[in-house]
Amino acid sequence: MILFVLPLLIILVYSFIERGTYGELIYSFTLENYQRSFDPLYAQTLWRSVYIALVATCICLITGFPLAWYMSLQSESKKKLLLALLIIPFWTNFLVRTYSWIFILRTEGLLNNMLLRIGIIEQPLDILFTETSVLIGLVYTYLPFMVLPIYVSIEKMDNNLFDAARDLGANALKRFTKIMMPLTKPGVISGSILVFVPCLGAYITPDLLGGAKTLMIGNLIQIQFLSARDWPFGSALSLIVMAFVLLLLLVYTKYTNDFKSQPEESNM
Amino acid sequence: MNEYYLHLKQIRKQYGDQIVLHGVDLAVNQGEFFFLLGPSGCGKTTLLKIVSGLLVPDSGSIFLKGSDITNTPSHLRDVNTVFQNYALFPHMNVFDNISFGLRMKKLSSDIIRTKVGNILELVGLPGFDKRFPHQMSGGQMQRVALARALVNNPSVLLLDEPLGALDVKLRKQMQSELRNIQRELGTTFICVTHDQDEAMILGDRIAVMHSGNVEQIGKPQEIYNKPNTYYVCDFMGDCNFIKNLTFEAVKDNQLATSYLGVQLFSEHSGVNQPNSIGIRPERIHLAPANRPDNPENKSSNRLSANVTDIVFSGHSHQITCELSDGNSMMVRVSVNNNVFLPELGDEVHLSWKTSDSILVHI
């Protein structure tokens, strides 16, 4: 417990103190670090991070939901195989996997070579070191975190419910919106949080695939700590991100609690 | 041509190599409480799902009120189902569950509220609108499932083992309620069950199914007392069988056979090549060996036997007797002051009426 709380406390203290000219810490109280965080220059990075994390989450949801659904429809043995395939990438080092995307996406990379050979494009695409390549990297890394909770919530569902809805006159669209969506909502929400939170704080992926242009908040914090030696400012930035994530989790727990406590009230 | 309310013609269904239904023909009348009875795996649930439209038959056709609904998708059929494990929507309260079908039909909310209120009254759950499925007992969920299907006022209500998950006492109670509701509404009910007692108690007619075929259709009394096949006879209740007999026709449309040195008589029935007799345990009359000729007893079939076992089961005694060839016969004697009760090892006379001999081919 101490090991968990102590670093957080240190960061909390750092975020309220000043930095000396050579990066040394001056212990006098200030809010300047927080003010600086919302300076347009940094706010832009924060906003970009939220935007990229949001888009990555949406792409994961749109691709992950059908994938999870497809998996749940397979035979038991095939389900196991697909689940294993989903998890296998985690056996390899994250850094190595991200580097390999550079080889795929770069100008003379695998993707461009293939597309050129097939004749779909005439000029190689400049995907690497753009927002797109960061998004590809993030979606690739975090898709399983979206698929697994959704898969679990679909598996938990009683298939008879679809038959019942069909029997009561619901067409395919109604069966999806009235039965599938509400019942998989917990899975979708936890999947989205599991993707959004690490995407927001990601720094290796944007560092390797985003180049200098696509700076995300994770990179900014990293720079403050390692290059700029501005630990107080870095601490303030990380606490802002943390506050943001906490707020999100709070909304989530409140929402899920509402969902559960509703029945209890009417029981009275 | 189709005077029947619901008519199934030559329904076939196959899963891979396994034939589940071998061309089933079935006709159900309007307002009837019809049972599909059989052990698990006999195809009864598959047949029910084909009527509901949740499964499509490989061949054959379904007529409802004279129109062909074979290719009508489930959600457009005027048929509703009460599912085996209720399949209530866990994220909706009772009101939303019951009104689901009505909302799909886009009825006005006033009408929906009235209809849901009425149906909750009918199934004995007034004021339960706001409950969620997980807050209710099995019996209550059962009623909600029934209400959810009935509120749509379907032409045919299908019930898939509706009482299977309830304990015995509750099942008895629900049986009579189900019967009352069916009579009150006059809706055609088709119910799948493996419980022959339930089928006999509730059913106007029963179709006994066996490995993808309908073995016999008829009123409960017919099915129980005059089964066409050994399978139906055995499935409908306990029965003593005397096997490997040869019959010859005698007077009054009767068949006679000799067994252990006596003549046994039975009435000629439609059964092909009968070679055995079945006798229900409660049809056998028991008399002490020293005064077998009770003048009231007009039974023409008589055998003597030794009592080997007596089991008391509340409403009756179950007495096992051994014949001289080692065959055992089970006799059920209702618990009654005047009835003769033998002791273990006693020699007794068994007798039964000619009309109680069930001819079967084994």
Side-chain angles (χ1 to χ4, degrees):
Chain A
M1 195 62 192
I2 290 174
L3 289 176
F4 189 71
V5 174
L6 203 59
L8 281 179
L9 277 176
I10 292 174
I11 288 175
L12 187 68
V13 172
Y14 279 5
S15 72
F16 288 108
I17 62 172
E18 283 175 45
R19 163 192 181 260
T21 327
Y22 302 104
E24 73 275 22
L25 303 166
I26 301 166
Y27 291 89
S28 66
F29 181 80
T30 175
L31 286 172
E32 200 208 329
N33 295 314
Y34 288 93
Q35 278 165 1
R36 241 177 96 198
S37 302
F38 293 101
D39 179 283
L41 184 68
Y42 302 112
Q44 194 195 353
T45 311
L46 187 66
W47 166 237
R48 186 193 294 126
S49 307
V50 172
Y51 168 74
I52 287 180
L54 214 60
V55 174
T57 309
C58 287
I59 296 174
C60 281
L61 180 59
I62 292 165
T63 53
F65 196 98
L67 179 61
W69 198 355
Y70 171 81
M71 283 169 61
S72 74
L73 296 175
Q74 304 308 309
S75 65
E76 283 306 313
S77 56
K78 201 164 173 203
K79 270 181 199 168
K80 283 198 187 112
L81 179 76
L82 287 171
L83 276 175
L85 285 177
L86 200 68
I87 294 164
I88 279 180
F90 291 103
W91 296 357
T92 322
N93 186 287
F94 172 54
L95 215 56
V96 175
R97 284 183 289 142
T98 310
Y99 266 114
S100 65
W101 272 105
I102 296 181
F103 288 96
I104 297 174
L105 295 177
R106 66 180 181 179
T107 317
E108 301 89 26
L110 206 62
L111 182 72
N112 273 320
N113 276 345
M114 259 169 57
L115 289 178
L116 280 171
R117 196 162 296 169
I118 300 169
I120 293 175
I121 52 167
E122 283 169 5
Q123 291 294 313
L125 300 170
D126 280 323
I127 301 175
L128 194 61
F129 306 134
T130 62
E131 251 174 42
T132 314
S133 62
V134 175
L135 277 174
I136 291 174
L138 289 176
V139 169
Y140 160 77
T141 311
Y142 296 111
L143 186 61
F145 292 100
M146 181 65 89
V147 174
L148 288 173
I150 296 180
Y151 171 77
V152 169
S153 65
I154 294 179
E155 278 288 283
K156 267 202 303 202
M157 225 168 30
D158 178 3
N159 274 324
N160 276 329
L161 296 179
F162 289 113
D163 281 352
R166 215 168 123 196
D167 184 77
L168 291 167
N171 58 23
L173 181 69
K174 282 274 159 49
R175 293 199 289 276
F176 183 76
T177 56
K178 300 277 179 193
I179 310 298
M180 186 118 191
M181 264 169 46
L183 286 178
T184 53
K185 208 187 257 172
V188 168
I189 291 174
S190 26
S192 299
I193 286 174
L194 283 176
V195 172
F196 182 81
V197 170
C199 278
L200 187 65
Y203 74 91
I204 291 181
T205 314
D207 197 29
L208 294 180
L209 299 177
K213 281 176 281 176
T214 324
L215 202 65
M216 282 178 71
I217 193 76
N219 308 104
L220 192 62
I221 295 170
Q222 183 200 15
I223 289 166
Q224 295 316 315
F225 275 93
L226 300 180
S227 318
R229 292 189 58 79
D230 193 342
W231 286 27
F233 182 49
S235 302
L237 283 174
S238 15
L239 280 176
I240 288 171
V241 173
M242 221 161 79
F244 193 78
V245 170
L246 268 174
L247 198 75
L248 211 71
L249 288 175
L250 227 65
V251 171
Y252 166 67
T253 42
K254 183 161 177 5
Y255 173 81
T256 44
N257 276 346
D258 277 356
F259 186 68
K260 277 177 197 146
S261 65
Q262 216 172 350
E264 256 82 64
E265 284 162 23
S266 56
N267 204 7
M268 294 291 120
Chain B
M1 190 183 143
N2 287 295
E3 67 258 50
Y4 295 111
Y5 192 67
L6 177 75
H7 199 176
L8 308 186
K9 290 180 179 173
Q10 285 300 309
I11 302 291
R12 280 181 56 86
K13 183 75 186 173
Q14 194 166 348
Y15 291 120
D17 291 341
Q18 201 197 348
I19 301 172
V20 186
L21 296 170
H22 301 263
V24 170
D25 287 305
L26 209 64
V28 178
N29 302 317
Q30 182 162 18
E32 200 171 28
F33 205 145
F34 193 89
F35 270 83
L36 295 172
L37 174 66
S40 50
C42 72
K44 57 191 194 298
T45 299
T46 306
L47 194 62
L48 197 78
K49 284 194 170 177
I50 285 173
V51 177
S52 73
L54 294 171
L55 284 177
V56 180
D58 296 335
S59 64
S61 41
I62 309 160
F63 293 87
L64 179 62
K65 295 193 261 190
S67 53
D68 188 344
I69 58 161
T70 315
N71 296 314
T72 309
S74 174
H75 63 274
L76 302 177
R77 282 190 195 186
D78 189 15
V79 168
N80 288 110
T81 308
V82 177
F83 287 83
Q84 186 167 11
N85 294 315
Y86 319 133
L88 296 179
F89 305 127
H91 57 298
M92 296 183 194
N93 63 24
V94 169
F95 183 87
D96 290 340
N97 262 289
I98 295 177
S99 62
F100 191 87
L102 302 174
R103 281 183 283 138
M104 291 298 121
K105 286 184 194 154
K106 301 207 161 52
L107 295 183
S108 83
S109 57
D110 283 346
I111 296 177
I112 290 180
R113 219 169 299 129
T114 318
K115 286 196 170 204
V116 173
N118 290 344
I119 204 82
L120 277 174
E121 198 86 37
L122 181 75
V123 299
L125 292 177
F128 272 65
D129 317 44
K130 295 279 174 283
R131 292 269 183 112
F132 277 79
H134 66 88
Q135 301 169 309
M136 291 189 293
S137 67
Q140 290 168 337
M141 288 200 277
Q142 171 62 57
R143 288 156 201 253
V144 174
L146 187 66
R148 185 177 68 174
L150 274 177
V151 77
N152 302 292
N153 196 20
S155 295
V156 178
L157 182 79
L158 307 175
L159 303 109
D160 187 2
E161 302 267 5
L163 310 177
L166 305 178
D167 62 73
V168 182
K169 212 170 169 197
L170 198 55
R171 198 182 313 159
K172 288 252 159 77
Q173 188 194 337
M174 282 303 292
Q175 275 174 358
S176 63
E177 284 190 32
L178 208 54
R179 178 85 251 191
N180 290 339
I181 288 170
Q182 197 268 338
R183 281 193 186 140
E184 195 168 329
L185 297 177
T187 308
T188 309
F189 279 31
I190 300 178
C191 184
V192 154
T193 187
H194 62 266
D195 181 346
Q196 62 276 41
D197 292 330
E198 190 172 297
M200 284 193 282
I201 290 168
L202 293 176
D204 291 322
R205 283 196 306 148
I206 301 170
V208 182
M209 293 187 65
H210 175 44
S211 56
N213 287 306
V214 172
E215 292 258 325
Q216 190 174 357
I217 302 178
K219 294 198 166 75
Q221 295 89 334
E222 285 168 18
I223 302 259
Y224 186 79
N225 295 328
K226 306 259 177 255
N228 285 340
T229 65
Y230 169 66
Y231 181 81
V232 174
C233 185
D234 193 38
F235 188 77
M236 291 312 291
D238 295 325
C239 199
N240 300 296
F241 290 102
I242 302 172
K243 301 178 187 179
N244 301 318
L245 302 171
T246 44
F247 292 92
E248 56 177 315
V250 290
K251 62 177 171 73
D252 298 339
N253 202 22
Q254 290 186 355
L255 293 179
T257 184
S258 82
Y259 176 64
L260 301 177
V262 292
Q263 289 262 302
L264 297 180
F265 297 95
S266 45
E267 282 175 356
H268 204 31
S269 68
V271 176
N272 258 340
Q273 298 174 311
N275 61 4
S276 306
I277 292 179
I279 311 112
R280 299 277 181 212
E282 68 276 7
R283 299 287 176 176
I284 299 176
H285 181 79
L286 209 61
N290 48 8
R291 43 182 183 85
D293 283 316
N294 186 334
E296 290 166 33
N297 186 356
K298 297 206 173 63
S299 302
S300 49
N301 297 314
R302 287 152 196 276
L303 289 170
S304 41
N306 280 307
V307 176
T308 57
D309 193 21
I310 301 175
V311 176
F312 175 66
S313 67
H315 51 80
S316 66
H317 283 95
Q318 203 166 288
I319 297 158
T320 311
C321 306
E322 199 179 85
L323 302 174
S324 58
D325 65 350
N327 244 342
S328 64
M329 300 281 274
M330 203 229 289
V331 182
R332 199 166 287 142
V333 178
S334 67
V335 175
N336 187 325
N337 290 336
N338 304 323
V339 89
F340 162 67
L341 251 188
E343 305 260 321
L344 267 182
D346 277 4
E347 196 173 312
V348 288
H349 261 84
L350 311 177
S351 59
W352 67 93
K353 288 184 202 151
T354 307
S355 58
D356 288 333
S357 293
I358 301 166
L359 287 174
V360 287
H361 175 86
I362 298 179

